[in-house]
């Protein structure tokens, strides 16, 4: 039986593996169906991690993490986890090949991914002018014009954030009414740099070899067409958490979750199930930043060590 199983190989999972093995646990396995690194490996530039002054691609940034973690004894099992179940006083990790692995404690760090709009040109220019994180990429558009797609709190809040950096922010929403809270919406309307375009949808994201150059828009009431020039667009229409491993065969969830399918944890990354920890973007109120995910992983590992020590 493993002492600790880590599900997910992004910043949270790797940090958990580093702290768990360096903290003295001997049987620690990280389950990740592909190469470790996580969602950040698809980012073209990474420049806001404290202490790393050199601007790197997400892939290059994550490469040393693997070497460092494996140096202390973390094992990587290249396998897909279908489900994590509770059995007596331990856990069962069910793999896609029907193999089952038992573990005393589990850290789940499967993360999530931003929802795509499926607009023409989105995939072509993703990472080249199309982003889903204003906090991560907003700085690259300092004194430039950008657009934001979405109508919820995140889209409106990020528009306010971008207005402090960019020369102009065009907020595009397919409805006249916004889902964002009235207070947040009022703040955005007071920002002179934010222009509201409703009810509009994006027909195409246009660009060239250097990246995004503009958008083709369609008014959803009168079907009139409009083109605007922007240097980037932030698609903020929602976030999908990868919580399938927590869903049991009867449709229930292994631990408590909120209305968005995010695991409810305390400051120690503990769920309401003893020995089960959740770190990174899968947890409630996750900031969705690499540095925060790494901190979550370290916290979860320290909590797991404490749990295992007290249940020998």
């Amino acid at each position: 039986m493993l002492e600790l199983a880590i599900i997910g190989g992004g910043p949270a999972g790797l940090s958990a593996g580093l702290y768990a093995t360096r903290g003295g646990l001997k049987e620690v396995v990280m389950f990740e169906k592909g190469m470790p690194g996580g969602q950040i490996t698809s980012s073209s530039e990474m420049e806001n991690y404290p202490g790393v002054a050199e601007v790197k691609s997400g892939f290059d940034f994550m490469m040393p993490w693997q070497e460092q973690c494996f140096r202390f004894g973390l094992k990587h099992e290249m396998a897909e986890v279908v489900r994590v179940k509770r059995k007596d006083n331990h856990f069962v990790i069910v793999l896609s090949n029907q193999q089952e692995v038992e573990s005393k404690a589990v850290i789940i760090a499967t993360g999530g991914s931003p929802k795509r709009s499926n607009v023409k040109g989105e995939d072509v220019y993703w990472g080249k002018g199309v982003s889903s994180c204003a906090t991560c990429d907003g700085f690259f558009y300092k004194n430039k014009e950008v657009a934001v797609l979405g109508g919820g709190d995140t889209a409106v809040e990020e528009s306010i954030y971008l207005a402090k950096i960019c020369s102009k922010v065009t907020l595009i929403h397919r409805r006249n009414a916004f889902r964002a809270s009235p207070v947040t919406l009022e703040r955005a309307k007071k920002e002179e740099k934010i222009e509201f375009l409703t009810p509009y949808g994006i027909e195409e994201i246009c660009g060239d070899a250097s990246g995004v150059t503009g958008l083709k828009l369609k008014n959803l009431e009168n079907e009139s067409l409009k083109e605007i020039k922007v240097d980037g667009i932030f698609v903020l229409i929602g976030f999908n958490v990868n919580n399938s491993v927590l869903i049991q065969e009867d449709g229930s969830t292994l631990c408590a979750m909120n209305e968005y399918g995010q695991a409810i944890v305390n400051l120690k990354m503990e769920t309401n199930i003893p020995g089960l920890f959740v770190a990174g973007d899968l947890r409630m109120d996750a900031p969705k930043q690499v540095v925060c995910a790494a901190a979550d992983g370290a916290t979860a590992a320290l909590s797991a060590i404490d749990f295992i020590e007290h249940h020998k």
Side-chain angles (χ1 to χ4, degrees):
M1 181 183 294
L2 300 179
E3 288 184 291
L4 176 65
I6 301 170
I7 319 300
L14 285 168
S15 293
L18 171 63
Y19 273 76
T21 51
R22 195 170 181 272
L25 297 186
K26 302 301 181 183
E27 290 297 321
V28 182
V29 174
M30 179 183 70
F31 294 88
E32 173 61 66
K33 62 181 178 181
M35 289 301 295
Q39 186 184 163
I40 190 62
T41 56
S42 62
S43 177
S44 58
E45 292 181 303
M46 178 69 183
E47 67 167 12
N48 62 343
Y49 197 88
V52 182
E54 182 184 357
V55 179
K56 298 181 177 182
S57 70
F59 180 82
D60 290 336
F61 174 77
M62 292 305 301
M63 282 300 292
W65 291 45
Q66 301 175 37
E67 178 186 349
Q68 183 184 25
C69 294
F70 297 151
R71 185 194 312 156
F72 289 101
L74 175 65
K75 300 181 181 68
H76 173 208
E77 182 74 25
M78 196 173 288
E80 181 180 5
V81 175
V82 176
R83 184 174 294 109
V84 176
K85 302 188 295 185
R86 180 76 169 163
K87 181 181 179 181
D88 299 326
N89 61 346
H90 63 275
F91 298 89
V92 177
I93 292 88
V94 182
L95 306 181
S96 57
N97 62 5
Q98 302 306 310
Q99 180 185 353
E100 295 187 349
V101 180
E102 297 186 337
S103 182
K104 296 178 181 177
V106 176
I107 296 174
I108 299 182
T110 47
S113 58
K115 289 182 180 178
R116 299 289 184 101
S117 67
N118 296 318
V119 168
K120 182 179 179 182
E122 181 181 49
D123 290 340
V124 176
Y125 297 108
W126 194 271
K128 300 176 182 178
V130 181
S131 173
S132 61
C133 180
T135 311
C136 310
D137 301 329
F139 181 79
F140 299 121
Y141 301 96
K142 187 176 182 180
N143 298 324
K144 295 182 179 181
E145 295 189 14
V146 299
V148 172
L149 177 65
D153 279 319
T154 300
V156 177
E157 287 169 0
E158 297 285 56
S159 294
I160 296 170
Y161 173 82
L162 289 167
K164 303 181 188 306
I165 302 171
C166 307
S167 60
K168 181 180 179 181
V169 180
T170 302
L171 179 55
I172 303 165
H173 184 42
R174 61 186 297 109
R175 300 181 182 86
N176 287 315
F178 284 78
R179 300 187 310 277
S181 67
V183 174
T184 304
L185 195 59
E186 190 61 33
R187 282 178 55 210
K189 288 181 177 179
K190 290 180 180 178
E191 283 284 352
E192 295 181 355
K193 292 183 180 179
I194 299 178
E195 177 185 354
F196 289 77
L197 271 186
T198 63
Y200 275 89
I202 299 176
E203 293 285 285
E204 183 179 354
I205 298 172
C206 306
D208 55 27
S210 63
V212 170
T213 58
L215 304 172
K216 292 182 179 179
L217 308 174
K218 182 179 181 179
N219 186 298
L220 301 180
E221 284 184 350
N222 58 31
E223 298 192 345
S224 62
L225 301 178
K226 179 184 180 73
E227 291 189 24
I228 62 173
K229 292 183 178 180
V230 294
D231 296 292
I233 175 168
F234 294 84
V235 179
L236 301 169
I237 56 176
F239 190 82
N240 294 316
V241 290
N242 300 327
N243 61 11
S244 61
V245 299
L246 290 169
I247 308 301
Q248 304 301 287
E249 292 169 311
D250 62 0
S252 64
T253 58
L254 179 57
C255 65
M257 293 185 179
N258 64 15
E259 59 185 306
Y260 305 108
Q262 302 160 334
I264 297 173
V265 299
N266 61 17
L267 293 176
K268 294 182 178 181
M269 302 300 134
E270 296 171 326
T271 67
N272 64 317
I273 304 300
L276 179 67
F277 308 87
V278 172
D281 291 354
L282 177 57
R283 73 163 172 91
M284 60 184 290
D285 298 328
K288 301 177 181 62
Q289 299 293 307
V290 174
V291 67
C292 300
D296 280 4
T299 300
L302 295 174
S303 297
I305 292 171
D306 186 61
F307 172 81
I308 292 168
E309 286 295 318
H310 283 83
H311 290 81
K312 284 185 176 179

